[in-house]
Amino acid sequence: IAAGDIEGAVEAARENHLAEPEDVKVQQRYHKLLLMADKKDQALEHGKRYLSLLLRKLQGESAVALFRRLREMDPKLSPSPGEILGLAQAAHRCREYEMALALTQSLESMHPRHADIPEARFLAARIQSEAFRRDDAARQILGALCEKFPEHEVVVREAVPYLRALEAIGQSSAV
């Protein structure tokens, strides 16, 4: 790069990224070089794989930042169905509530039978209640969740007690 040979740097980084597919730093360097070289299509394609790696390595903050950059390049970009919940949870931890909520909604609208739907709905309810102070929306989501998936572990273990707490809060504030 110092010699001005960005193409050479990209090619060297490409070889490195193929040889070390699980090395986050190698993938990060390759992605940055693709962006520097204005190779948008390649950066988008690589970015999807890089995003998957970051989620597998539990680097949520980096995954959220990368997803935001990828969405700037392609507003229609969506993670794979199996990654949406993990990315939504990472966005929630990063206090990116709008992103997290949009991801949970996209999972249900694009993949209505996906196994992560109950957990995504519970996360959406928590965000509505805790981040946006919309307990009525949270109660509605939780009620539908409990009705549709009454035996699911997240419903039994988390959604039912959360719904009861919201209802108790609603009753005490109405008095």
Side-chain angles (χ1 to χ4, degrees), residues 93-121:
R93 285 189 301 275
C94 292
R95 298 179 183 198
E96 296 278 351
Y97 302 120
E98 294 285 348
M99 179 190 291
L101 195 56
L103 284 162
T104 63
Q105 292 166 345
S106 75
L107 177 64
E108 188 152 12
S109 66
M110 295 182 340
H111 310 282
R113 291 181 176 81
H114 197 277
D116 290 341
I117 295 293
E119 287 183 71
R121 281 191 184 181

Side-chain angles (χ1 to χ4, degrees), residues 13-14 17-18 20-21 23-35 39-53 66 70 73:
R14 187 182 81 74
H17 112 90
L18 292 172
E20 300 288 342
D23 188 318
V24 171
K25 288 186 179 188
V26 168
Q27 300 307 317
Q28 179 184 36
R29 182 171 190 274
Y30 181 56
H31 192 74
K32 283 182 179 181
L33 285 169
L34 288 172
L35 293 172
K39 296 180 180 281
K40 180 182 171 185
D41 291 341
Q42 286 176 292
L44 276 168
E45 282 309 306
H46 174 262
K48 293 174 194 175
R49 292 186 303 275
Y50 181 30
L51 180 64
S52 296
L53 175 65
L66 175 63
L70 293 173
M73 289 188 276

